[in-house]
Amino acid sequence: MKDATEYFNEQAATYAGASSRFPWSWLRARERSAVLKVMGPLQRADVLELGCGAGYYTRVLLHEGAARVWAVDRAQEMLHQLPADPRITPVQGDAASVRIDRKF
């Protein structure tokens, strides 16, 4: 896993920009629609996002009404790409072993 974490730390600065261009943007739009359909209502919800990357879904979740997002990623540099927003709690950790002292 160290190699994957290093890779995403290296890609972090340009990751969000790259994902906003075609063809990735087209795929993300389709994916977003499917994800939101299965998530149900997000109004005032506290959400745990595992593998947040540069925050694409973090932003989507907040835009769709989530009250707070705990954004977890192994790559510290990806967490630095998250917007400065008091509703976001960045957490560096592995999705398989991270501990958050609350239930979602």
Side-chain angles (χ1 to χ4, degrees):
M1 284 300 234
K2 184 176 179 185
D3 291 335
T5 303
E6 288 175 6
Y7 171 81
F8 284 107
N9 275 325
E10 291 170 3
Q11 299 299 312
T14 58
Y15 197 81
S19 71
S20 68
R21 292 189 295 275
F22 186 82
W24 199 353
S25 60
W26 175 81
L27 180 61
R28 276 266 168 100
R30 294 177 56 95
E31 176 188 80
R32 175 186 174 153
S33 176
V35 167
L36 290 175
K37 188 180 284 188
V38 299
M39 286 195 71
L42 290 168
Q43 298 302 324
R44 296 181 299 281
D46 287 346
V47 180
L48 174 62
E49 180 187 10
L50 299 172
C52 67
Y56 174 80
Y57 277 105
T58 307
R59 290 169 177 87
V60 169
L61 293 165
L62 292 173
H63 180 264
E64 293 296 321
R68 292 189 54 92
V69 177
W70 279 256
V72 178
D73 204 280
R74 289 178 55 115
Q76 183 66 40
E77 294 303 317
M78 285 294 190
L79 295 174
H80 290 308
Q81 302 304 309
L82 295 172
D85 187 315
R87 300 172 297 168
I88 300 170
T89 302
V91 180
Q92 184 178 15
D94 187 303
S97 60
V98 69
R99 301 261 186 230
I100 309 282
D101 191 25
R102 63 165 292 130
K103 292 185 179 190
F104 294 89

